[in-house]
Amino acid sequence: AKAHGRNTFRFYTREMNTQVADRLQLENRLRRALEQDELFLLFQPQYDIHSQALIGCEVLLRWQDPVEGLIMPGRFIPIAEDSGLIVPLGRWVMREACLQMARWQAQGLQLPKIAVNVSARQLARLDFTDEVRDALQESGLPGHCLEIEVTESTLMEDADLASRQLAILKAMGVRLSVDDFGTGYSSLAYLKRFAPDTIKIDRSFVCDLPGDSEDAAIVSAIIHLARALGMSTLAEGVETVEQRDFLRQLGCGGLQGYLLGKPQDASAIARQLGELVS
Ligand code: C2E
Ligand code: CA
Ligand code: CA
Ligand code: CA
């Protein structure tokens, strides 16, 4: 039994070592990726549910690794967050996103805003607001053209600091959207305190609509709550016409999802906006 126990121990240790080594390797490659221009941005359109106008685009990061090919954020963002690399990475995203938005505007294309995902470790840095101000100034973009998407857990990690940071951003005109709403430790007190412009209804509540009566009740409650508090709602992960129609019935304000448009590159967004203009 002893020998068996030792073998088991050794097995787990080796497996853990491989995992740690994998992470470390990915972390080092990611650091290089940032320097060597292997990262790029995609943009997923967001639409007004009634007028069907394009109301914004969410900025989604991608990594084109020369060996492995396309690496999705689900794989590298957690590593970037743990290692602190998310700070320079997030700074790059913010700057690139604002510059792209300014390019679209210079082309005469009408897009109200871009939404950039911001991690807890970014928001917790005192110079984060300076970085946002710099990105806006460099691109010449007014603050209201930028929305930051943060999750509930990001807001709760250090709520006092988060509210000071968000107050500075709000004074710059930057909008706030609460991402993945309802999936974390949601607190209604935080909703009141942070007063976001938009609540993003998480895909997990959307995917089984309209059939799942519990999800329907949750989504309906979120929409009513948001409306009573003067906030807009946007449903993410909308994939079917049935979901869209049901969300419209419930009074949801905005839509994002594969049904309406996948994450795409800047020129595809420009083409779409160009068609709307002409
Ligand atoms: P998220 O913020 O919840 O972003 C929405 C995710 O859902 C995106 O995955 C998007 O491609 C995907 N999606 C959109 N519509 C649909 C749909 O109809 N069906 C399905 N099944 N999926 C849909 P993606 O691009 O893989 O990003 C994953 C997560 O990585 C994001 O989740 C976000 O948390 C994080 N992320 C991405 N870019 C950044 C970034 O620049 N900074 C930070 N901090 N996080 C990022
Ligand atoms: Ca998001
Ligand atoms: Ca989300
Ligand atoms: Ca999500």
Coordinates of all heavy atoms in Angstrom, one line a residue, residues 44 58-62 72-74 77 81 86 93 117-119 122 149 179-180 203 236-239 256-259 263, ligand 1:
Q44 N -16.7 42.5 -32.4 CA -18.1 41.9 -32.5 C -19.1 43.0 -32.4 O -19.2 43.7 -31.4 CB -18.3 40.8 -31.5 CG -19.6 40.0 -31.8 CD -19.8 38.9 -30.9 OE1 -19.4 38.9 -29.8 NE2 -20.5 37.8 -31.4
E58 N -17.7 45.1 -29.4 CA -16.9 44.6 -28.4 C -15.5 44.2 -28.9 O -15.5 43.5 -30.0 CB -17.5 43.4 -27.6 CG -16.6 42.9 -26.5 CD -17.2 41.8 -25.6 OE1 -18.3 41.3 -25.9 OE2 -16.5 41.4 -24.6
V59 N -14.5 44.6 -28.3 CA -13.1 44.3 -28.7 C -12.7 43.0 -28.1 O -12.7 42.8 -26.9 CB -12.2 45.5 -28.3 CG1 -10.7 45.2 -28.6 CG2 -12.6 46.8 -28.8
L60 N -12.3 42.1 -29.0 CA -11.9 40.7 -28.5 C -10.5 40.4 -29.0 O -10.2 40.5 -30.2 CB -12.9 39.7 -28.9 CG -14.3 39.9 -28.3 CD1 -15.4 39.2 -29.1 CD2 -14.3 39.5 -26.8
L61 N -9.6 40.1 -28.0 CA -8.2 39.8 -28.3 C -7.9 38.5 -28.9 O -8.6 37.5 -28.5 CB -7.4 40.0 -27.0 CG -5.9 40.0 -27.0 CD1 -5.3 41.1 -28.0 CD2 -5.4 40.2 -25.6
R62 N -7.0 38.4 -29.8 CA -6.6 37.1 -30.4 C -5.1 37.1 -30.5 O -4.4 38.1 -30.6 CB -7.1 37.0 -31.9 CG -8.7 36.9 -31.9 CD -9.2 35.6 -31.4 NE -10.6 35.4 -31.5 CZ -11.5 35.8 -30.6 NH1 -11.1 36.4 -29.4 NH2 -12.8 35.6 -30.7
M72 N -6.9 31.3 -28.5 CA -8.1 32.0 -28.1 C -7.8 32.6 -26.6 O -7.1 32.0 -25.9 CB -9.3 31.1 -28.0 CG -9.7 30.6 -29.4 SD -10.2 31.9 -30.6 CE -11.8 32.2 -30.0
P73 N -8.5 33.7 -26.3 CA -8.3 34.4 -25.0 C -8.6 33.5 -23.8 O -8.0 33.6 -22.8 CB -9.2 35.6 -25.1 CG -10.1 35.4 -26.2 CD -9.5 34.5 -27.2
G74 N -9.5 32.6 -24.0 CA -9.8 31.7 -22.9 C -8.6 30.9 -22.4 O -8.5 30.5 -21.2
I77 N -5.7 34.5 -21.5 CA -6.0 35.6 -20.6 C -5.8 35.2 -19.1 O -5.3 36.0 -18.3 CB -7.5 36.2 -20.8 CG1 -7.5 36.9 -22.2 CG2 -7.9 37.1 -19.7 CD1 -7.0 38.3 -22.2
E81 N -3.4 37.2 -16.6 CA -3.9 37.7 -15.3 C -3.1 37.3 -14.1 O -2.7 38.1 -13.3 CB -5.4 37.4 -15.1 CG -6.3 38.2 -16.0 CD -7.8 37.8 -15.9 OE1 -8.1 36.6 -15.5 OE2 -8.7 38.6 -16.3
I86 N -1.2 40.9 -18.0 CA -2.5 41.5 -18.4 C -2.3 43.0 -18.4 O -3.0 43.7 -19.2 CB -3.7 41.1 -17.5 CG1 -5.0 41.5 -18.2 CG2 -3.6 41.6 -16.1 CD1 -5.4 40.8 -19.4
V93 N -4.2 46.7 -25.8 CA -5.5 46.6 -26.3 C -6.3 47.9 -26.3 O -6.9 48.3 -27.3 CB -6.4 45.5 -25.5 CG1 -7.8 45.6 -25.9 CG2 -5.8 44.1 -25.7
N117 N -12.8 45.0 -22.8 CA -12.8 44.2 -21.6 C -11.6 44.7 -20.7 O -10.5 44.8 -21.2 CB -12.6 42.7 -21.9 CG -13.9 42.2 -22.6 OD1 -14.9 42.0 -21.9 ND2 -13.8 41.9 -23.9
V118 N -11.9 44.8 -19.4 CA -10.8 45.2 -18.5 C -10.8 44.3 -17.3 O -11.9 44.0 -16.7 CB -11.1 46.7 -18.0 CG1 -10.1 47.1 -16.9 CG2 -10.9 47.7 -19.2
S119 N -9.6 43.7 -17.0 CA -9.5 42.8 -15.9 C -9.3 43.5 -14.6 O -8.9 44.6 -14.5 CB -8.3 41.9 -16.1 OG -8.5 41.1 -17.3
Q122 N -6.0 45.2 -13.9 CA -5.8 46.5 -14.6 C -6.5 47.6 -13.8 O -5.9 48.7 -13.6 CB -6.4 46.4 -16.0 CG -5.7 45.5 -17.0 CD -6.5 45.5 -18.3 OE1 -7.4 44.6 -18.5 NE2 -6.3 46.5 -19.1
E149 N -15.8 47.1 -20.1 CA -16.6 46.0 -19.6 C -15.9 45.3 -18.5 O -14.8 44.9 -18.7 CB -16.8 44.9 -20.8 CG -17.7 45.4 -21.9 CD -18.2 44.3 -22.8 OE1 -17.9 43.1 -22.5 OE2 -18.9 44.6 -23.8
D179 N -20.2 43.0 -17.1 CA -20.1 41.8 -18.0 C -20.6 40.6 -17.3 O -20.4 40.5 -16.0 CB -18.6 41.7 -18.4 CG -18.5 41.0 -19.8 OD1 -19.5 40.5 -20.3 OD2 -17.4 40.9 -20.3
D180 N -21.0 39.6 -18.0 CA -21.4 38.3 -17.5 C -22.3 38.4 -16.3 O -22.2 37.7 -15.3 CB -20.1 37.5 -17.0 CG -19.1 37.3 -18.2 OD1 -19.5 37.5 -19.3 OD2 -18.0 37.0 -17.9
R203 N -24.3 34.9 -21.6 CA -24.7 33.9 -22.6 C -25.4 32.7 -21.9 O -26.3 32.0 -22.5 CB -23.5 33.5 -23.3 CG -23.8 32.6 -24.5 CD -22.5 32.4 -25.3 NE -21.6 31.5 -24.7 CZ -20.3 31.6 -24.7 NH1 -19.7 32.6 -25.3 NH2 -19.5 30.7 -24.2
E236 N -25.9 38.8 -24.6 CA -24.8 38.3 -25.4 C -25.0 36.8 -25.7 O -25.8 36.1 -25.1 CB -23.4 38.5 -24.6 CG -23.3 37.7 -23.3 CD -21.9 37.9 -22.6 OE1 -21.2 38.8 -23.0 OE2 -21.7 37.1 -21.7
G237 N -24.3 36.4 -26.8 CA -24.4 35.0 -27.2 C -25.8 34.6 -27.8 O -26.2 33.5 -27.8
V238 N -26.4 35.6 -28.5 CA -27.6 35.4 -29.2 C -27.3 34.6 -30.5 O -26.6 35.1 -31.4 CB -28.4 36.7 -29.5 CG1 -29.7 36.4 -30.2 CG2 -28.6 37.4 -28.2
E239 N -27.9 33.4 -30.6 CA -27.5 32.6 -31.8 C -28.7 32.3 -32.7 O -28.6 31.8 -33.8 CB -26.9 31.3 -31.3 CG -25.5 31.5 -30.7 CD -24.8 30.2 -30.2 OE1 -25.5 29.1 -30.3 OE2 -23.6 30.3 -29.8
Q256 N -26.1 40.9 -29.0 CA -24.7 40.6 -29.5 C -24.7 39.1 -29.6 O -25.1 38.4 -28.7 CB -23.7 41.1 -28.5 CG -22.2 40.8 -28.9 CD -21.2 41.3 -27.9 OE1 -21.6 42.1 -27.0 NE2 -20.0 40.9 -28.0
G257 N -24.2 38.6 -30.7 CA -24.1 37.1 -30.9 C -23.9 36.7 -32.3 O -24.0 37.5 -33.2
Y258 N -23.6 35.4 -32.5 CA -23.3 34.9 -33.8 C -24.5 35.1 -34.8 O -24.2 35.2 -36.0 CB -23.0 33.4 -33.7 CG -21.7 33.1 -32.9 CD1 -21.5 31.8 -32.5 CD2 -20.8 34.0 -32.7 CE1 -20.3 31.5 -31.8 CE2 -19.6 33.8 -32.0 CZ -19.4 32.5 -31.5 OH -18.3 32.1 -30.8
L259 N -25.7 35.1 -34.3 CA -26.9 35.4 -35.2 C -26.7 36.7 -35.9 O -27.0 36.8 -37.1 CB -28.2 35.4 -34.4 CG -29.4 35.8 -35.2 CD1 -29.8 34.7 -36.1 CD2 -30.6 36.1 -34.3
P263 N -17.3 37.8 -34.1 CA -16.1 38.7 -34.0 C -15.4 38.8 -35.4 O -15.2 37.7 -36.0 CB -15.2 38.0 -33.0 CG -16.2 37.2 -32.2 CD -17.2 36.7 -33.2
Ligands
C2E1 P1 -16.5 37.8 -22.8 O1 -16.1 39.2 -22.4 O2 -17.7 37.3 -22.1 O3 -16.7 37.8 -24.4 C1 -17.7 37.2 -25.1 C2 -17.2 35.9 -25.7 O4 -18.3 35.2 -26.3 C3 -16.2 36.0 -26.8 O5 -15.3 34.9 -26.7 C4 -17.1 35.9 -28.0 O6 -16.3 35.5 -29.2 C5 -18.0 34.9 -27.6 N1 -19.3 34.9 -28.4 C6 -19.9 36.0 -28.9 N2 -21.1 35.7 -29.5 C7 -21.3 34.4 -29.3 C8 -22.3 33.4 -29.6 O7 -23.3 33.8 -30.2 N3 -22.1 32.2 -29.2 C9 -21.0 31.7 -28.5 N4 -21.0 30.5 -28.2 N5 -20.0 32.6 -28.2 C10 -20.2 33.9 -28.6 P2 -13.7 35.1 -26.9 O8 -13.4 36.1 -27.9 O9 -13.2 33.7 -27.0 O10 -13.3 35.7 -25.5 C11 -13.4 35.0 -24.3 C12 -13.2 35.9 -23.1 O11 -11.8 36.3 -23.0 C13 -14.0 37.1 -23.0 O12 -15.3 36.8 -22.6 C14 -13.2 38.0 -22.1 O13 -13.5 37.6 -20.8 C15 -11.8 37.6 -22.4 N6 -11.2 38.6 -23.3 C16 -11.2 38.7 -24.6 N7 -10.5 39.8 -25.0 C17 -10.0 40.4 -23.9 C18 -9.2 41.5 -23.6 O14 -8.8 42.3 -24.5 N8 -9.0 41.8 -22.3 C19 -9.4 41.0 -21.3 N9 -9.1 41.4 -20.0 N10 -10.2 40.0 -21.5 C20 -10.5 39.6 -22.8

